[in-house]
Amino acid sequence: MMTSILSLASEAYPLIKTGGLADVVGAMPGALAPHGFRLTTMIPGYPEVLKALDSRQVVHRYDDLLGIEARLVAGTAYGLDLLVLESPELFSRGGSAYCDVTGRDWPDNWLRFGALGRAAADVALGKVSDLHPELLHAHDWQAAMAVAYLRYAGVAAIPSVVTIHNIAFPGRFPADVFPELGLPPEAFTIEGVEYYGGVGFLKAGLRAAAAITTVSPTYAEEIRKKAFGMGLEGLIAARRDHVFGIVNGIDTAIWNPATDPHLASVYDAGTLDRRKQNKRAVETAFGLAQGEGPVFCIISRLTTQKGMDVLASLADTLVAMGGRLALLGSGDAKLEASFAAAARRHPGRIGVRIGYDEALSHKLQGGADAILIPSRFEPCGLTQLYGLRYGCAPVATRTGGLADTIVDANEAALAAGVATGFLFDGVTADGLTHAIARAVAVYGNPTAWRLLQEQGMKADYSWNRSGKRYAELFRRLLKETHRSGR
Ligand code: ADP
């Protein structure tokens, strides 16, 4: 008998994706199935989600879900078991999952994700569908309110886990939305959902969850501190015995250089020479002059979190050091303009593609020599894991999941043949320049570079390991619940 888990999130690859969260949510059902857990993924009914459903059955109709009409639809798509909260009023709009077309957060995000949380709590309580999950797994602030609704349901409820993919997004709203959320008045306290005078969705979930996980051990430590905790450090520190860091896995079927349909030439650790054709393809795609020097790539949201401001200021330096740069990303308009200007200054040396392009991201990992990830903080990071698997050496800040997954090519590590990338401390122009210089130097020694690539490709960042850790945690929580007689 499989144990039923309700996994609640605002995105799930390949249905809807704005970042790494989607990859993780989409991969978890497969990662946990071998451990006896059957995950039903509950997500909002965005048009692209509804369109993708292979089958659909309305299991519940709400006339008044926080004042909104909505339907709960059970279905499947891409092998995922889904529960979709269908409400055109909330989720069928232009713009993106969280923002309008101008990039501004939807002003009623509290209602959109409050309603999602309310409905998920109803599912968890066994009130609205045949599903009787034994545990609720809520991802990020958009899902966290479900845990608060369970807590205030007035009945013994199933245990819940909140996973923090990025604590910088707290889901904070003004206090005047509180009466609209349908929670009892006593919930508006510091022990409940109150957060700096407003309502904090993530905070509410973190307070109420049986366990909190985040996506790397280093980030789990970092968020206890003011510099990383974004105002939640006190809560995290107080609940430290219930906080666990589990590194994300990657989907090794989708991210496999030996079978990747997006690559001009597939390869593995034993046939790295075949990457050359992919490098040529990257040069062509980004208008770079053909050459033997290192091609650095960026696949990223263009934001200050990702250190893209510092990187933009170093474009000329990178070229002067003999590097070329292929950038795929979108985000901050100023940063987009700054990278576009750098490409105009350095034709043939810097190529920029503003936008989101899954296929092109695979091509870059399979053809560029190194990937730059100078994040100011990085809960886990996926692009370095893809880079490691594809022999595209990461050059990254020593923070969060980057610190946990990359072995820095210092002299000792190089000598021992265990290095997999380049780490530097603090996101400064000097620090990043030095790291790029080290990468260029090792690249100049083909034997050392190849060893570094091979080491990265050997590392196991599949879901095998991480799936096991989640399974252990879930089992323990279920046992504790049974023991306490709930
Ligand atoms: P975050 O979730 O903070 O954006 P991660 O590294 O965890 O960062 O995940 C980012 C995910 O989004 C990766 O799968 C990466 O390949 C993908 N990605 C980011 N920007 C782009 C882009 N412009 N085009 C295609 N994929 C992108």
Side-chain angles (χ1 to χ4, degrees), residues 17-21 23 166 248 255 299-301 305-306 328-330 353 355-361 365 378-384 386:
K17 166 169 169 174
T18 71
L21 167 68
D23 290 357
N166 193 339
N248 287 332
W255 292 94
I299 306 164
S300 185
R301 293 188 283 119
Q305 178 205 327
K306 299 289 182 180
L328 169 63
S330 64
R353 192 75 72 85
Y356 192 94
D357 187 333
E358 196 76 26
L360 195 54
S361 76
Q365 297 280 15
E378 193 58 78
C380 177
L382 290 174
T383 56
Q384 86 280 15
Y386 301 144

Side-chain angles (χ1 to χ4, degrees), residues 177-401:
V177 311
F178 178 74
E180 313 296 323
L181 290 169
L183 284 162
E186 67 268 22
F188 196 70
T189 64
I190 192 152
E191 293 302 317
V193 307
E194 190 272 338
Y195 177 58
Y196 293 98
V199 174
F201 276 34
L202 181 59
K203 184 258 163 133
L206 296 178
R207 262 275 166 246
I212 297 167
T213 73
T214 188
V215 288
S216 69
T218 295
Y219 194 61
E221 297 278 324
E222 287 171 341
I223 57 176
R224 287 188 205 167
K225 298 177 199 140
K226 200 166 190 292
F228 292 91
M230 307 284 171
L232 287 166
E233 60 275 6
L235 194 168
I236 298 291
R239 299 214 61 200
R240 60 157 65 87
D241 292 344
H242 304 277
V243 179
F244 307 92
I246 305 176
V247 171
N248 287 332
I250 61 174
D251 190 327
T252 48
I254 295 167
W255 292 94
N256 181 356
T259 56
D260 193 328
H262 302 299
L263 300 185
S265 167
V266 293
Y267 61 94
D268 59 25
T271 54
L272 274 164
D273 286 336
R274 294 196 193 150
R275 280 184 109 253
K276 191 161 264 176
Q277 253 176 281
N278 299 333
K279 186 163 174 174
R280 295 287 98 92
V282 166
E283 289 165 346
T284 307
F286 285 83
L288 301 179
Q290 267 195 23
E292 293 312 313
V295 169
F296 292 88
C297 76
I298 295 169
I299 306 164
S300 185
R301 293 188 283 119
L302 302 181
T303 63
T304 50
Q305 178 205 327
K306 299 289 182 180
M308 288 297 136
D309 48 330
V310 177
L311 195 54
S313 75
L314 287 181
D316 300 346
T317 311
L318 183 138
V319 169
M321 287 193 288
R324 283 166 295 154
L325 178 66
L327 177 143
L328 169 63
S330 64
D332 191 293
K334 260 200 218 136
L335 289 171
E336 289 181 357
S338 168
F339 281 113
R344 283 194 298 275
R345 283 200 305 280
H346 299 285
R349 311 290 303 178
I350 296 183
V352 167
R353 192 75 72 85
I354 300 298
Y356 192 94
D357 187 333
E358 196 76 26
L360 195 54
S361 76
H362 284 246
K363 289 191 174 71
L364 281 168
Q365 297 280 15
D369 297 297
I371 180 162
L372 299 171
I373 316 170
S375 305
R376 287 195 164 79
F377 61 93
E378 193 58 78
C380 177
L382 290 174
T383 56
Q384 86 280 15
L385 301 181
Y386 301 144
L388 290 170
R389 185 149 166 82
Y390 276 62
C392 182
V395 179
T397 329
R398 196 190 314 274
T399 188

